[in-house]
Amino acid sequence: MNDLSQEQQVAFQAACRQAGLRLTPQRIEIFRELARAKDHPSAETLHRRLVERMPSLSLDTVYRTLGTLASHGLIMRVDTIESQARYEVAQLLHHHLICRSCKEIFDFQWQSVDNAALPDAVKSWGRVERKNVVAYGICNKCLKK
Amino acid sequence: MNDLSQEQQVAFQAACRQAGLRLTPQRIEIFRELARAKDHPSAETLHRRLVERMPSLSLDTVYRTLGTLASHGLIMRVDTIESQARYEVAQLLHHHLICRSCKEIFDFQWQSVDNAALPDAVKSWGRVERKNVVAYGICNKCLKK
DNA sequence: ACAAAGATAAGAATCATTCTTAAAAAAGAA
DNA sequence: TTCTTTTTTAAGAATGATTCTTATCTTTGT
């Protein structure tokens, strides 16, 4: 646990208080595990990892907590065409590259898109809050198989 | 049914043959309905519409057919964070604007992104096949509520 | 028209997620 | 601290979306 995650943890706790969410060991551990994970895990994957440390943690709590945190903007649900929902801690702006074969999700930055204004046709649609690129392809590992 | 959809239909049938997929009335109607729809419908929505014309059509066939056509690239499954899968006919390159409130999906074009090369960091990842922007916000209809 | 392979309908089964309920824990007040 | 109120949790039932199984029917090439 380095300074960054320490800081992230403190920020998380402050954000919970501000949102009127109680700080429970479950929420703290679920957030910590998600922040540490780099693979945009599903509820089930997170639960599998956490049960080692918190044997009584229920899968339902993981689902419920991820939903709660996402609805308060503390974490993000990732856009995918998979059947299982996957999550990530809302980090600095980034985009996703998804392997059609192994489903691994790779984060990348693309500031020219971040800074670009959306086309005029979109202006009359409503209020746009965020925009992300989702690219699909086959990663090198899978290409070699 | 105008010339465009007529043409689209012929192209669909040719693509099925080429892919070794048999041309059944179910597949033809499912594709036709999806091509006509502008709302990126789910399997259930499509089934509801089609049953009027094809009373014996099973929901399972709609699911199966959408899966088959998507795996052959004839249609696309849309990236969303919804629980139901939604589909669209693979049209000319476009992007999506999704309303967080009513879930309506609006298509738009953004050629500067289409033509832009991905950042260098991505080049070593593998083979990228497509890239789409997914923007979230609240549409005007919902803002007025 | 005929055989072989593929596709469909119906319903059972499965997977992912949410709901229900009673018990346990957090936060604020005394 | 202890009490009180309200939230959160665990467990398992329930639901929603999708897929599988099987027997029957169709398409397609001959």
Side-chain angles (χ1 to χ4, degrees), chain A residues 73-123:
Chain A
L74 296 173
I75 65 174
M76 300 288 283
R77 179 167 169 177
V78 179
D79 291 289
T80 72
I81 59 176
E82 285 178 79
S83 53
Q84 282 193 126
R86 295 173 65 169
Y87 293 86
E88 66 186 354
V89 169
Q91 299 279 20
L92 79 168
L93 218 47
H94 66 275
H95 307 278
H96 288 145
L97 207 43
I98 305 178
C99 177
R100 276 200 295 119
S101 170
C102 68
K103 317 296 183 198
E104 199 171 274
I105 300 178
F106 176 80
D107 291 346
F108 69 96
Q109 291 177 247
W110 197 3
Q111 303 192 344
S112 55
V113 169
D114 299 337
N115 299 329
L118 284 162
D120 288 345
V122 167
K123 300 223 168 92

Side-chain angles (χ1 to χ4, degrees), chain B residues 8-131:
Chain B
Q8 202 169 214
Q9 212 59 31
V10 171
F12 169 68
Q13 301 192 8
C16 279
R17 276 184 234 285
Q18 190 151 28
L21 297 175
R22 293 186 173 174
L23 275 171
T24 66
Q26 290 88 340
R27 283 178 177 164
I28 291 171
E29 286 305 312
I30 290 169
F31 180 83
R32 192 203 302 289
E33 190 65 39
L34 183 62
R36 172 185 300 164
K38 287 171 180 155
D39 58 350
H40 313 77
S42 65
E44 213 169 345
T45 300
L46 273 177
H47 180 254
R48 197 180 322 119
R49 292 174 189 165
L50 286 160
V51 154
E52 309 271 321
R53 286 185 256 150
M54 296 185 93
S56 70
L57 180 69
S58 76
L59 178 56
D60 176 71
T61 295
V62 177
Y63 272 107
R64 194 163 12 78
T65 300
L66 291 173
T68 304
L69 299 184
S71 76
H72 286 274
L74 296 172
I75 65 175
M76 301 288 280
R77 179 167 170 178
V78 178
D79 291 288
T80 74
I81 59 176
E82 284 179 79
S83 54
Q84 282 192 126
R86 295 173 65 169
Y87 293 86
E88 66 186 354
V89 169
Q91 299 278 19
L92 80 168
L93 217 49
H94 67 274
H95 307 278
H96 289 146
L97 207 43
I98 305 179
C99 177
R100 277 199 296 119
S101 170
C102 68
K103 317 297 183 198
E104 200 171 272
I105 301 177
F106 176 78
D107 291 346
F108 69 97
Q109 291 177 248
W110 196 2
Q111 302 192 344
S112 55
V113 169
D114 299 338
N115 300 330
L118 284 162
D120 288 344
V122 167
K123 298 222 169 95
S124 57
W125 177 82
R127 175 158 47 83
V128 176
E129 294 164 348
R130 65 189 185 84
K131 57 179 193 290

Side-chain angles (χ1 to χ4, degrees), chain A residues 20-109:
Chain A
L21 297 175
R22 291 187 177 175
L23 274 171
T24 65
Q26 290 88 340
R27 283 178 176 163
I28 291 171
E29 286 306 312
I30 290 169
F31 180 84
R32 191 203 301 289
E33 190 64 40
L34 182 61
R36 172 185 300 163
K38 287 173 180 153
D39 58 351
H40 312 77
S42 65
E44 214 170 343
T45 301
L46 273 177
H47 181 253
R48 197 180 324 116
R49 292 175 189 164
L50 285 160
V51 154
E52 309 272 320
R53 284 186 257 151
M54 295 186 93
S56 70
L57 180 69
S58 76
L59 178 56
D60 177 71
T61 295
V62 178
Y63 272 107
R64 194 163 13 77
T65 301
L66 292 173
T68 303
L69 299 184
S71 77
H72 285 275
L74 296 173
I75 65 174
M76 300 288 283
R77 179 167 169 177
V78 179
D79 291 289
T80 72
I81 59 176
E82 285 178 79
S83 53
Q84 282 193 126
R86 295 173 65 169
Y87 293 86
E88 66 186 354
V89 169
Q91 299 279 20
L92 79 168
L93 218 47
H94 66 275
H95 307 278
H96 288 145
L97 207 43
I98 305 178
C99 177
R100 276 200 295 119
S101 170
C102 68
K103 317 296 183 198
E104 199 171 274
I105 300 178
F106 176 80
D107 291 346
F108 69 96
Q109 291 177 247

